[in-house]
Amino acid sequence: VFNSQYFVELHCEKRVCVFGTGDMGRSLGLRLLQAGYSVMFGSRRPQSCNFLPNGAQVLSHAEAAQAAHLIFIAVQREHYDFLVPLAYHLKGKVLVDLSNNLKKNQYPEANAEYLQSLVPEAEVVKGFNTLSAWALQNGPSDANRQVYICGDRAEAKQVVLAVATKLGFSALDRGSLSASRELEDFPLQLFPLWRLPMRIAVGLTAFFFFYLLIREILYAYITQGKDISFRIMVSLANRVCPIVSLIMLALCYLPGVLASFLQLYRGTKYRRFPDWLDRWMLCRKQLGLLALGFACLHVLYTLIIPIRYYVRFWATERTVTQIRQNGTNEFITSRAWHSDSYLSFGILGFGLYVLLGITSLPSVSNALSWREFSFVQSKLGHLTLLLCTIHTYLYGGKRFLSASLYNWYTPPGYMLCLVLPSVVLLLKLLLVTPCVDRNITRIRQGWEKGADQRNSKNNKTLVL
Ligand code: NAP
């Protein structure tokens, strides 16, 4: 205990060293100075270093290594061999490896492990590499408040954790030094969880755009000689957006339903889901947020309908014609009911959609208990899907039966988009029926199919 305490106290002194006077070294040095540390830079050319923060000292590597117990290595990995002759001075010191690579698996071992192999008697900790020099200079903000660290010696990590906290970051211990490759891969990731949802969104948008373009605009041009290409900008977009939104919302809830059926079939929750289902479940939030984005576009496109030239022109034309013919239209109550219900379900669905989006924000979801979060995301989520599906069914109304809508024998887009949500809702309905729900709840509480028989067999063997 005494050794550990002494180690932490010794390394937590206010004097720290930064090797390398490049972008990262300078930014880190500046933040350390602002946090009250006395900073020494170790450089190849201590006499000719420019743009260093005021108050910092610049020494040769050997001098700087001797003067501090905590040393940040802000040098590219390729140049790490300069540390080998310094091994004696670095003995027992904490070296923080900040390095990143240009691509994944660039080297056979992680940079931090390589550094440890060069100076085996130093305590290497990987950390701060997920921050950019710019972020360091500007100080922590919500987006990059987190730093990850890993290392083999707990006391060394404690020292780095203390510095990170002093600099205003919240540090997360990711385990031993063998986790450093994972940390080095972090900055190379480009929205990993958004890739699949983005591809789905782009694929669905492209498919439905061309599908509707052919069966509506090209159809009118070829069969009736009518040029309605202007509809591409608003009408077509306002059809594609809700279609993609509804399908993506259904795709957000389908993996959960599939996972429940898989658990029912296997009779246990202790077997891993197939990789594809795991990946799908992991990106549900992104699928939902993209679906919400398309729903918002649908709302905006709908709101501008009354100010469209095309709509104003036909509304005026119809009114003028009626005045000329001295005609009147009969008010049809059933139509009013239908139109109001269709709009009302849409508004309620969109309201819940927005609520789902808000609760998926980390700042909001962190304030909810697990039960509250799953109530909103699961119960209200399925309710949102139900409301939006009803909204689409009502949009179709009696038109589902009208043969004239099946241009070139193809169904309208909204009919196609109803297939998946209807399937998801039916499957969910099956899951909430009491007998199925009882089984799934037992499985989630740890019950396993065949476990009772196995246990009683084992007990019999023990008795014998
Ligand atoms: P940089 O601007 O190229 O600076 C690297 C520094 O290393 C140089 O200024 C130089 O300092 C020193 N150096 C260069 N060649 C050397 C050699 N042969 N032997 C010893 N020292 C040498 O690089 P950087 O952007 O600051 O990045 C430094 C490290 O931080 C890299 O490993 C990088 O992956 C990591 N990192 C950078 C960022 C960022 O935003 N820039 C973010 C996260 C992690 P002297 O001339 O004073 O010796």
Side-chain angles (χ1 to χ4, degrees):
V1 171
F2 172 75
N3 270 350
S4 302
Q5 254 174 11
Y6 177 67
F7 183 95
V8 174
E9 276 165 25
L10 183 70
H11 291 76
C12 273
E13 61 183 11
K14 280 279 171 181
R15 214 153 19 135
V16 293
C17 167
V18 180
F19 278 180
T21 56
D23 296 337
M24 191 64 177
R26 284 199 308 270
S27 306
L28 180 63
L30 178 69
R31 274 221 65 74
L32 286 164
L33 280 164
Q34 286 169 344
Y37 285 93
S38 136
V39 178
M40 269 164 301
F41 280 100
S43 168
R44 289 165 303 165
R45 292 182 281 269
Q47 273 76 30
S48 54
C49 287
N50 296 321
F51 312 116
L52 290 182
N54 285 339
Q57 240 186 314
V58 198
L59 305 168
S60 69
H61 287 132
E63 287 168 327
Q66 287 171 63
H69 286 92
L70 174 62
I71 301 167
F72 292 90
I73 315 289
V75 175
Q76 312 283 356
R77 170 199 163 121
E78 298 90 84
H79 309 309
Y80 275 4
D81 42 7
F82 81 96
L83 292 163
V84 178
L86 302 173
Y88 176 74
H89 301 304
L90 299 175
K91 205 170 159 183
K93 308 219 159 158
V94 176
L95 304 189
V96 186
D97 176 52
L98 304 172
S99 65
N100 284 320
N101 294 324
L102 291 177
K103 56 178 195 287
K104 281 190 181 179
N105 302 324
Q106 194 175 348
Y107 298 104
E109 77 283 70
N111 298 351
E113 288 174 318
Y114 171 62
L115 177 61
Q116 185 69 83
S117 70
L118 291 179
V119 273
E121 290 185 89
E123 303 295 343
V124 174
V125 175
K126 180 90 209 172
F128 290 92
N129 64 308
T130 49
L131 297 174
S132 67
W134 184 84
L136 260 170
Q137 212 165 17
N138 288 289
S141 60
D142 268 356
N144 45 39
R145 188 169 278 281
Q146 196 100 322
V147 295
Y148 302 102
I149 62 161
C150 69
D152 287 338
R153 184 158 179 185
E155 293 87 353
K157 286 193 280 186
Q158 212 178 318
V159 171
V160 182
L161 245 135
V163 176
T165 314
K166 272 225 168 89
L167 297 190
F169 296 101
S170 58
L172 204 73
D173 186 348
R174 298 289 291 236
S176 68
L177 205 60
S178 54
S180 45
R181 188 183 277 281
E182 200 188 319
L183 296 198
E184 284 163 17
D185 284 345
F186 251 51
L188 296 173
Q189 292 175 346
L190 186 69
F191 302 119
L193 289 177
W194 284 91
R195 248 178 253 163
L196 180 65
M198 283 298 283
R199 280 188 196 137
I200 294 176
V202 171
L204 283 174
T205 308
F207 172 77
F208 279 103
F209 176 79
F210 287 112
Y211 181 77
L212 297 177
L213 184 79
I214 292 168
R215 73 173 298 281
E216 289 179 14
I217 288 155
L218 274 185
Y219 177 84
Y221 189 71
I222 292 171
T223 58
Q224 298 150 22
K226 270 204 275 180
D227 177 10
I228 52 166
S229 54
F230 69 90
R231 286 193 180 203
I232 290 175
M233 296 312 289
V234 176
S235 304
L236 207 67
N238 200 18
R239 286 200 196 163
V240 173
C241 287
I243 288 174
V244 176
S245 175
L246 189 60
I247 294 181
M248 289 193 69
L249 188 64
L251 284 175
C252 183
Y253 289 101
L254 183 58
V257 171
L258 291 180
S260 300
F261 275 103
L262 201 61
Q263 285 182 335
L264 271 176
Y265 172 72
R266 288 171 169 176
T268 176
K269 67 165 184 177
Y270 296 114
R271 274 175 63 193
R272 271 185 66 91
F273 293 128
D275 272 355
W276 59 267
L277 189 55
D278 251 349
R279 257 181 285 134
W280 191 355
M281 299 234 270
L282 278 177
C283 63
R284 280 180 295 180
K285 173 175 158 180
Q286 287 71 14
L287 275 170
L289 286 176
L290 280 177
L292 173 61
F294 279 97
C296 290
L297 286 178
H298 171 49
V299 169
L300 287 179
Y301 276 123
T302 308
L303 287 177
I304 60 151
I305 287 176
I307 57 168
R308 287 179 68 198
Y309 166 75
Y310 160 74
V311 175
R312 280 185 291 132
F313 176 84
W314 283 114
T316 324
E317 268 294 296
R318 221 171 288 147
T319 316
V320 171
T321 315
Q322 265 189 353
I323 293 169
R324 274 207 201 116
Q325 292 170 353
N326 201 17
T328 47
N329 275 344
E330 194 192 336
F331 183 84
I332 307 167
T333 312
S334 63
R335 267 201 203 169
W337 260 102
H338 176 248
S339 140
D340 280 6
S341 320
Y342 150 70
L343 290 172
S344 176
F345 275 103
I347 290 168
L348 288 174
F350 183 68
L352 284 182
Y353 228 135
V354 173
L355 184 72
L356 292 181
I358 292 172
T359 44
S360 74
L361 296 174
S363 50
V364 179
S365 60
N366 288 346
L368 300 177
S369 70
W370 170 244
R371 188 140 187 241
E372 289 163 346
F373 182 76
S374 68
F375 170 78
V376 174
Q377 291 299 332
S378 175
K379 301 257 177 354
L380 293 190
H382 283 99
L383 182 62
T384 312
L385 184 64
L386 179 68
L387 291 174
C388 294
T389 308
I390 296 177
H391 168 69
T392 315
Y393 270 111
L394 287 174
Y395 171 77
K398 286 184 193 157
R399 285 183 286 178
F400 281 103
L401 304 172
S402 156
S404 64
L405 281 179
Y406 291 79
N407 300 346
W408 284 329
Y409 305 106
T410 55
Y414 64 85
M415 281 189 203
L416 285 185
C417 85
L418 277 168
V419 176
L420 202 62
S422 308
V423 170
V424 174
L425 288 170
L426 274 176
L427 292 177
K428 184 68 192 171
L429 192 68
L430 263 177
L431 284 175
V432 295
T433 51
C435 53
V436 182
D437 185 47
R438 205 178 317 121
N439 278 341
I440 200 87
T441 311
R442 271 205 309 168
I443 289 171
R444 294 206 174 137
Q445 282 168 347
W447 177 86
E448 282 189 280
K449 189 161 71 180
D452 299 343
Q453 287 156 359
R454 275 201 301 277
N455 283 346
S456 67
K457 235 187 215 172
N458 285 347
N459 288 344
K460 268 185 203 159
T461 323
L462 279 176
V463 171
L464 282 171

